[in-house]
Amino acid sequence: NFTPTRFKPEDSIAIGTAILLGFSNTLEYDLLYTLFTRLTPNYEDVPLLQPAEADFIMGAAAPAGAPALRRAVAPLDPAEVARSGILKDMQRLGKSFHNGPGSNNWAVAGRLTEDGRPMLANDTHSGLGRPNTMYMLHMRAPGFDVAGFAFVGVPSVNLGHNRALSWSATTNWADVVDIWDVAVSEGGDTLSLGGTDWAIVTEEQQIPVRQPDGSVVDQPFTLQYVPDQGILLTEELLGIPMGLLTQDALLARWTGFAPNDDLELFLGFDRAETLDGFVEAVEEQDAGMMNWVGATAEGIRYHTSSLVPVRAGAVRPNEILDGEDPASLWAGWLPPEQLPSLDGSQDWIITANNDPWGHTADNDPVNDAFYYGSFYDPGFRAARIGELLTDAAAAGPMTLDDMIRIQNDAGSITARRMIPLLRASVDRIGTDPDLDDWAGRADLLPALERLEAWDQQMRRGSAEAALFRAWMAFLDEATLSDDINILFEPVETDKPPYIDKVTMLAHEGGDATYPRLLDEGEHPLRLRALADAIDWLAAQAIEQGVDEITWTELHTSVFTAPDGALTLLPSDGGSDTINSSECGMWAGGDIGPCEGPNGPILRQITRFSEDGTPELYFNAPWANDGDIDRWIEGEYVLLPFTEAEIDARTAATLTLE
C-alpha cells in the first residue's frame, strides 16, 4: 500500500551519499577491531591485518617506522561481551551499511592485446539482491552519450562508458572514518573533543515505521551532532550496547558528512573524452574513496582522489580514539603524492581492494611515514589476477575471451598453499607419537591424494572443493576459536577470507612462529580437521540422499528480495577467488552450509572498436537485462550503444509523461 512520489534532487543526492558511505565506511571495523584488541591477550601475535599476498597496487611495501602509541584501556571480559549481544548487533550494523566483499578491476595496455587497443575489466561485488541494486541505463542528449549501469535512485551512469572513455571502480579503503570516546557535559549540551568544548545540536525527528499488521506508526528519533566534527553514536542510532565501548559517548566523523562535489565526479566521467578528462573527473571526488581505473583506445590510467585525513600525532585511528587527545584530531588532508595513482605506462593495472601502499605488510598499518588505512582485502584476488594476466600475456596477444576466463576464474590460492602443509602432516603419521590418534584412519591419505590431484577450482560439482572448504572450516575453528574466542564466529561469518588468511599464515609460520595460535600443534590440528571434515561430509551426504557432497550441495549464492524472501542458487567461486563468493560456515558453535550473501552484481569487460568507441560486454544477475542463467554460467552479452545496435535490440518504446 505504498504510493511512490516523484524523486527530488535531494533524494537522489541523499541516496548517492548513502552509497558512498557504504563504499568507504569503516565504522563497524573500528568498533570490531577495538573489541579485538581488548578481548585478545597479546593480540599483536595474530596476523589479522597482515596480507596473505604481498601484492600492493603501487608496488613494494613501504618501509615501516616506530609503532604508534596506544590508548590505555582495560581489557574486556568475554563473558560480559557475549551476554551483551553486541556482536550480533554489530553484524546487523554492517549489513545496514551494505558493505560487500569488495570488487575487482584491471586494465591491460594495448601493446598486449590482439587489436593493439586496451581492454578494461570491472567486477562489482556487493549484496546479492533480487532485483539487482544496479540497472542498465543509457542517456543521450546533444554532446552527451553514455551507457552502463547505475545504482537505483542515483543520477548518471556510475559504471560504464561514453563515446570514448570507459571507467571502473573498486573500494579503496582509505581510512576516512574515525570514532572518538568523548565526555558530554552534565546538561548534555556540549562535549569535550581535543581539549575544546563543542556545542551539541539536537534534532527531534519522526520516522514512519511499518508495523507487522501493515499499519504505520511515527517513531520519535533523536539525532545529536556537532557541526563540522561528527555525529554522536547512541544506542538508539546504532542499535548496539555502548557501555562496553565507552563510559560516556562516542563521536563519529566521516569526510562525507561535509558538502562535497562527488556528483560532479560521475557527471565528469559521463562527459570526459580523454584520459586527462578522466583524471579531472576523479579529482572532483571528496568522499567515498575509490580505486578508479579508466581506459580509452589510446591508453589506461589509475587515479584516486578524496579527502583522506591527516591525524595530528601518533595515534591508532583503526580503534576508538581518546577524545581528550589533541593529537587524534584531523589536521588537514593527505597531499596528492600520498594518494595512489599510476600513469598507465604499466603492462596492466590491477586493484582488488588490496593495500595500495603496503603499510599492512608488517601487520601494523600505523607505523609508516603516513597513515592511509587498515582494513584491506587479504590480497588473494589481486595476486590471482596478476598470475593469470602473466600467463595470458606469455601465451600471446590477449583476447576478450581471456578477460572473460580470468573474470570467471575460481582458483583458490589458499588451497594451493595449504594442501602441501596437509601432506607434511599426513606423512608424519606412523613416525610421530603425537599423531597416533590418526594412525587408524585409512581414509586420510586417499582424501589428501584427491585434494592433491584437484585443480583447486571452486566449481559446482567438485567434491574436492567441498572437501577443501570443509577442512578449512574445521581447521579455522580449531586454530583460532580459542585465541580470538567470541569474535571468531562474527568475523568468520562476515569476513571469512580474514579467518582463512590468519589460519594459513599461522600454519605456514608453524609452531615456532605462532606457538599460541598452534598450541595444540600444527600437525594434530590439521589431521583432526581433516578427519572431522570427512566425517561431517559423509553425514551430510546421508542426510541429503546423495553419493557425496560436492560444491553444488555445500555452497550457494543467496539473493535477498525487498520483502526478505531468499533465493539460494548453486554457483562457482569461493571466499578467496576472483569469482568471489565469500561464505562462512560457523554459527552457534555448529558448522553448516557455505551460503554467500554477497557476490558479483555486475561483471563488465570493455574493448574498443577501430574508431575508438567502447564496446562493453556484461553479465549481471536479475538486473533489467540480467539473465540469471548467464550469470551462473559466466556468459556475456554486448551492451547495445550505437544506433544500429540499439535498433536491432529494441523490443518496445515507451514515452513517459
Side-chain angles (χ1 to χ4, degrees):
N1 299 322
F2 174 74
T3 301
T5 58
R6 289 187 178 274
F7 273 84
K8 301 183 291 294
E10 53 266 37
D11 295 325
S12 288
I13 291 173
I15 292 170
T17 301
I19 291 171
L20 289 174
L21 175 61
F23 285 128
S24 62
N25 165 61
T26 58
L27 187 146
E28 67 267 30
Y29 297 151
D30 286 352
L31 296 174
L32 191 61
Y33 192 64
T34 298
L35 287 175
F36 172 71
T37 62
R38 296 179 64 183
L39 283 167
T40 309
N42 301 315
Y43 71 90
E44 297 93 340
D45 298 338
V46 181
L48 186 65
L49 302 180
Q50 179 181 336
E53 297 279 344
D55 276 69
F56 308 117
I57 298 173
M58 298 300 294
L69 298 177
R70 183 171 302 282
R71 181 185 176 206
V73 291
L76 291 172
D77 177 8
E80 180 184 2
V81 174
R83 286 193 300 270
S84 73
I86 189 173
L87 297 178
K88 288 186 177 180
D89 290 334
M90 288 184 64
Q91 287 180 290
R92 176 198 48 75
L93 178 66
K95 291 179 181 178
S96 72
F97 284 119
H98 304 290
N99 278 349
S103 305
N104 311 319
N105 67 1
W106 67 90
V108 177
R111 57 182 172 273
L112 298 178
T113 70
E114 63 178 348
D115 60 14
R117 294 182 289 274
M119 288 192 290
L120 176 67
N122 193 73
D123 186 356
T124 303
H125 303 159
S126 188
L128 296 173
R130 184 176 183 179
N132 203 320
T133 55
M134 301 194 78
Y135 70 104
M136 190 166 66
L137 176 66
H138 190 159
M139 299 190 297
R140 179 177 290 171
F144 191 88
D145 194 0
V146 58
F149 283 77
F151 285 98
V152 174
V154 180
S156 83
V157 170
N158 304 131
L159 296 170
H161 68 86
N162 57 34
R163 294 173 185 171
L165 170 73
S166 183
W167 65 93
S168 64
T170 67
T171 302
N172 177 270
W173 290 127
D175 193 344
V176 294
V177 174
D178 274 341
I179 308 170
W180 289 267
D181 190 349
V182 296
V184 176
S185 65
E186 187 172 338
D189 55 352
T190 64
L191 61 79
S192 176
L193 178 66
T196 301
D197 289 337
W198 301 83
I200 298 174
V201 176
T202 299
E203 292 183 3
E204 301 293 342
Q205 302 182 4
Q206 298 290 328
I207 299 179
V209 179
R210 186 174 299 281
Q211 305 302 303
D213 63 0
S215 63
V216 175
V217 175
D218 283 340
Q219 180 173 311
F221 181 81
T222 302
L223 176 67
Q224 293 184 299
Y225 61 94
V226 176
D228 301 324
Q229 296 302 316
I231 291 176
L232 281 168
L233 303 178
T234 61
E235 290 192 8
E236 182 183 25
L237 179 63
L238 291 185
I240 63 176
M242 307 297 286
L244 294 170
L245 301 169
T246 176
Q247 296 303 309
D248 207 333
L250 296 179
L251 182 78
R253 185 177 182 183
W254 171 49
T255 52
F257 287 155
N260 62 70
D261 295 325
D262 283 30
L263 178 58
E264 291 296 329
L265 160 80
F266 295 105
L267 295 176
F269 287 154
D270 293 348
R271 299 186 178 108
E273 297 180 353
T274 65
L275 291 175
D276 287 342
F278 162 76
V279 171
E280 290 173 5
V282 174
E283 294 288 343
E284 295 288 346
Q285 185 160 33
D286 296 324
M289 184 76 162
M290 309 293 285
N291 292 310
W292 295 106
V293 177
T296 67
E298 282 69 45
I300 59 178
R301 194 73 59 87
Y302 164 64
H303 200 67
T304 63
S305 178
S306 193
L307 301 177
V308 181
V310 173
R311 283 76 176 183
V315 296
R316 305 188 74 84
N318 51 10
E319 303 174 31
I320 293 176
L321 298 167
D322 181 3
E324 294 301 316
D325 181 9
S328 68
L329 301 184
W330 293 2
W333 316 109
L334 290 182
E337 61 269 19
Q338 292 177 347
L339 302 180
S341 181
L342 295 172
D343 61 10
S345 61
Q346 300 76 14
D347 286 342
W348 50 69
I349 295 168
I350 302 169
T351 87
N353 317 114
N354 49 322
D355 183 348
W357 297 108
H359 291 174
T360 58
D362 61 349
N363 200 40
D364 186 354
V366 297
N367 63 347
D368 302 275
F370 62 95
Y371 174 68
Y372 190 79
S374 296
F375 306 108
Y376 301 103
D377 183 86
F380 292 119
R381 291 180 287 118
R384 180 67 176 166
I385 293 167
E387 292 174 357
L388 295 178
L389 286 176
T390 300
D391 292 343
M398 291 194 214
T399 66
L400 176 67
D401 287 341
D402 288 329
M403 301 285 273
I404 291 175
R405 175 177 51 81
I406 294 171
Q407 205 165 62
N408 283 282
D409 180 72
S412 170
I413 288 179
T414 311
R416 181 202 309 165
R417 290 169 60 172
M418 288 299 296
I419 292 171
L421 300 181
L422 181 58
R423 164 58 73 176
S425 298
V426 171
D427 285 348
R428 294 174 68 95
I429 297 176
T431 62
D432 185 343
D434 291 339
L435 308 182
D436 287 347
D437 288 346
W438 295 278
R441 291 288 304 238
D443 52 357
L444 298 186
L445 180 58
L448 168 64
E449 291 174 342
R450 290 188 68 179
L451 290 175
E452 290 178 325
W454 172 46
D455 62 3
Q456 299 160 5
Q457 290 280 327
M458 305 297 290
R459 299 284 184 194
R460 286 165 291 146
S462 171
E464 291 75 24
L467 174 61
F468 174 74
R469 185 65 184 93
W471 174 58
M472 279 300 299
F474 278 106
L475 188 61
D476 288 338
E477 194 276 339
T479 302
L480 299 178
S481 64
D482 60 335
D483 296 293
I484 62 175
N485 50 70
I486 62 172
L487 293 174
F488 173 77
E489 284 194 9
V491 179
E492 198 267 349
T493 297
D494 287 347
K495 290 295 174 184
Y498 274 78
I499 294 294
D500 287 346
K501 174 198 73 173
V502 175
T503 297
M504 184 186 73
L505 293 176
H507 281 266
E508 286 182 333
D511 294 337
T513 305
Y514 295 102
R516 186 167 68 86
L517 297 181
L518 304 176
D519 51 1
E520 297 179 48
E522 57 185 288
H523 301 295
L525 283 168
R526 293 172 202 155
L527 295 177
R528 175 157 60 87
L530 181 59
D532 288 344
I534 293 171
D535 294 343
W536 182 73
L537 290 171
Q540 288 293 303
I542 294 172
E543 181 178 325
Q544 298 187 35
V546 296
D547 291 336
E548 65 177 347
I549 296 294
T550 71
W551 197 229
T552 299
E553 289 79 31
L554 185 61
H555 165 258
T556 54
S557 290
V558 182
F559 294 81
T560 304
D563 63 359
L566 302 180
T567 301
L568 279 65
L569 297 174
S571 62
D572 294 339
S575 294
D576 66 335
T577 61
I578 298 173
N579 184 0
S580 177
S581 184
E582 296 183 5
C583 57
M585 294 183 65
W586 288 97
D590 292 325
I591 191 170
C594 204
E595 297 177 351
N598 304 297
I601 64 170
L602 172 62
R603 301 184 183 107
Q604 298 168 269
I605 297 173
T606 305
R607 63 183 182 184
F608 296 86
S609 62
E610 288 187 12
D611 66 0
T613 302
E615 298 175 346
L616 188 155
Y617 296 81
F618 76 95
N619 171 303
W622 278 311
N624 52 336
D625 186 17
D627 184 279
I628 190 61
D629 292 329
R630 286 203 311 259
W631 181 80
I632 291 174
E633 300 301 331
E635 299 171 353
Y636 293 63
V637 294
L638 176 68
L639 179 72
F641 183 70
T642 66
E643 292 280 5
E645 291 167 349
I646 293 170
D647 289 343
R649 296 275 294 276
T650 298
T653 300
L654 301 176
T655 301
L656 302 180
E657 297 180 355

